[in-house]
Amino acid sequence: MSPGGIFIQGIISVFFGMTMLYLSIKITAFVVDRMALKNKGEARDDK
Amino acid sequence: MINNLYSLLNTTGFVHLTPGMIVMWVIGLTLIFLAIKKQYEPLLLLPIGFGILLVNLPLTGLMEPDVGLLWKFYHYGIHWEIIPPLIFLGIGAFTDFGPMLANPRLIFLGAGAQAGVYITFFASHAMGYNIMEAATIGMIGGADGPTTIFIASKLAPQLLGACAVAAYSYMAMVPIIQPPIMRLMTTKAERQIKMAKARPVSKREKLLFPIVSTFLIILLIPASAPLIAMLMLGNLFRESGVVERLKGAAQNELMNIVTIFLGLPIGATMHADIFLQPKVLFIFVLGLIAFILSTVTGLLLAKAMNLFSKEKINPLLGAAGVSAVPMAARVVHKVGIEADKRNYLIMYAMGPNVAGVIGTVIAAGIFITLLAP
């Protein structure tokens, strides 16, 4: 692969990787929040 | 009698000394001086400096393949790619990803700073370095010593010593190199921007992060596996709260031991015959350019993000996208405080700073995927 190709592919790949990481953090935070809310609801129902 | 004396003299190192060796002693002693007197990355520069002295003493055979002591450290520790991943285990055990998880959009600043790596790669190749050497030189801009060593050992072992010393030297000089660039690239009003309060991060999120990110990053860039796997294992030790002994070992005993076995053989790769060539010495200039460009691209990306975002980012945070942890974050905080005494940026700056570590590993993984033989 040419240096220009590596340059472009490299930058795109780093941003793509970080975007995927960003999305995974957002999704994890969402799931964890939902689980926390659900647990809180169940605890209230038990009372 | 005279012949016997001559033979005896010939077995000593004195008659085999070269001017290049003496120049290397000066370089080694300078690194030792900087480590002790100025405290510039002393954990690495001290053993590197001593390694330089040792390998430039004649007839020692310390770097003789299969025989020399330092060659064995180098071969089994660095060439076999054992030590840099172990350093990452310790870094993972030290790192709190909480500030990054609290403000995930700052992750992109860790990616922005990698643009400097690729620009320098391109420039180095245009200046006559072969493509693997250019990739290794570009990685200096990531300001991540272990990753630079990892990629150098894979792509350009002949440049390992120069690239490692350049990377660690510039990491130590973050407080000198970055602030003028930060002031030049931002207005006072921009430096005074206050960040919105970050959301709290639950323990469960912190625990899930190393597992989720290991899957994600290794599936995306399999070549980054050795470094990411160890980084996230170390972090899992930290966040799980059930293996305090392992966490402590990764942070202290193991980290200290591998640091010794990293620094000494790196210094030992810097023999006068290899090191004192214009092509190798110019790496220090290119490394500095890489580091400056990484800072600039991080700052520019932060400014660009402000064009599209309701909640403004203090653009200084872009400079923390280089992965010199936590030095770059501290420098951002210091420059921020100069503009507004009540603007505490340190916790926000840790986000892009630790994201920069991941970004550098991804950049290295891409180089290895595309270039490794």
Side-chain angles (χ1 to χ4, degrees):
Chain A
M1 185 179 270
S2 70
I6 294 169
F7 175 79
I8 290 165
Q9 190 172 336
I11 290 179
I12 291 171
S13 301
V14 169
F15 275 95
F16 180 68
M18 292 307 233
T19 305
M20 297 301 283
L21 196 63
Y22 170 81
L23 291 175
S24 77
I25 291 171
K26 285 293 220 188
I27 292 166
T28 307
F30 177 76
V31 171
V32 168
D33 279 353
R34 297 287 293 185
M35 283 168 67
L37 278 175
K38 198 178 163 195
N39 289 344
K40 212 182 262 179
E42 279 172 4
R44 208 177 294 136
D45 290 345
D46 288 345
K47 280 181 186 173
Chain B
M1 180 70 179
I2 289 171
N3 274 349
N4 284 345
L5 270 175
Y6 183 75
S7 301
L8 185 68
L9 195 64
N10 223 15
T11 60
T12 71
F14 291 105
V15 291
H16 297 277
L17 279 174
T18 62
M21 287 175 175
I22 294 163
V23 172
M24 292 310 292
W25 292 356
V26 174
I27 293 172
L29 289 170
T30 306
L31 292 185
I32 291 172
F33 170 79
L34 290 174
I36 296 171
K37 188 75 179 171
K38 303 281 181 186
Q39 304 241 324
Y40 284 172
E41 294 283 339
L43 295 176
L44 261 302
L45 291 192
L46 191 73
I48 289 176
F50 201 71
I52 293 172
L53 295 183
L54 291 177
V55 79
N56 287 289
L57 290 167
L59 306 180
T60 59
L62 285 167
M63 278 300 274
E64 194 177 324
D66 297 320
V67 183
L69 176 70
L70 297 185
W71 182 88
K72 286 173 185 164
F73 290 171
Y74 171 78
H75 186 74
Y76 298 112
I78 297 172
H79 185 70
W80 279 23
E81 295 161 15
I82 290 172
I83 290 176
L86 287 179
I87 296 268
F88 262 72
L89 183 76
I91 293 171
F94 271 118
T95 303
D96 177 10
F97 284 107
M100 189 181 83
L101 301 177
N103 214 337
R105 69 184 174 140
L106 298 181
I107 278 182
F108 293 105
L109 300 178
Q114 308 312 316
V117 169
Y118 286 99
I119 296 169
T120 311
F121 155 74
F122 198 67
S124 304
H125 187 262
M127 292 173 79
Y129 290 88
N130 71 41
I131 204 157
M132 296 198 190
E133 290 173 340
T136 306
I137 295 166
M139 283 312 297
I140 298 170
D144 187 333
T147 308
T148 306
I149 292 163
F150 185 77
I151 200 165
S153 67
K154 267 187 173 299
L155 300 184
Q158 69 279 14
L159 301 185
L160 178 72
C163 287
V165 171
Y168 279 108
S169 303
Y170 297 138
M171 282 164 70
M173 287 194 277
V174 164
I176 300 164
I177 298 170
Q178 281 198 321
I181 304 167
M182 291 155 85
R183 290 187 200 106
L184 188 72
M185 299 280 302
T186 55
T187 63
K188 190 171 183 191
E190 284 176 327
R191 294 197 292 274
Q192 287 173 327
I193 292 175
K194 285 204 166 60
M195 295 292 294
K197 195 167 182 261
R199 70 180 183 89
V201 178
S202 69
K203 185 166 169 44
R204 193 175 285 174
E205 269 183 81
K206 285 188 178 182
L207 186 60
L208 284 172
F209 175 73
I211 300 168
V212 172
S213 57
T214 299
F215 272 97
L216 184 75
I217 297 170
I218 293 179
L219 285 172
L220 274 174
I221 303 140
S224 67
L227 298 182
I228 281 293
M230 299 309 274
L231 179 73
M232 294 307 170
L233 176 63
N235 194 247
L236 194 56
F237 286 167
R238 174 193 171 93
E239 300 301 346
S240 68
V242 295
V243 286
E244 287 300 311
R245 279 167 51 196
L246 299 188
K247 181 184 118 185
Q251 284 179 337
N252 300 305
E253 295 88 346
L254 185 62
M255 190 73 151
N256 292 340
I257 291 167
V258 293
T259 300
I260 295 168
F261 288 109
L262 181 69
L264 205 53
I266 284 174
T269 61
M270 294 167 68
H271 190 275
D273 295 344
I274 301 166
F275 191 80
L276 295 177
Q277 295 174 30
K279 191 181 166 186
V280 176
L281 293 174
F282 198 62
I283 286 171
F284 287 86
V285 177
L286 288 170
L288 180 63
I289 292 168
F291 191 65
I292 291 170
L293 284 175
S294 293
T295 305
V296 169
T297 52
L299 289 163
L300 286 177
L301 183 67
K303 284 160 85 98
M305 283 168 76
N306 277 345
L307 297 175
F308 306 100
S309 153
K310 280 183 198 166
E311 279 182 10
K312 298 295 178 200
I313 297 170
N314 188 314
L316 292 176
L317 299 182
V322 300
S323 57
V325 180
M327 190 80 89
R330 281 189 199 146
V331 169
V332 166
H333 178 72
K334 193 170 161 264
V335 177
I337 285 278
E338 281 170 16
D340 179 350
K341 281 182 183 166
R342 289 166 299 172
N343 202 3
Y344 296 100
L345 292 173
I346 184 79
M347 283 316 287
Y348 301 101
M350 283 307 290
N353 209 187
V354 295
V357 177
I358 298 174
T360 310
V361 173
I362 292 176
I366 293 160
F367 273 137
I368 292 167
T369 305
L370 297 176
L371 298 174

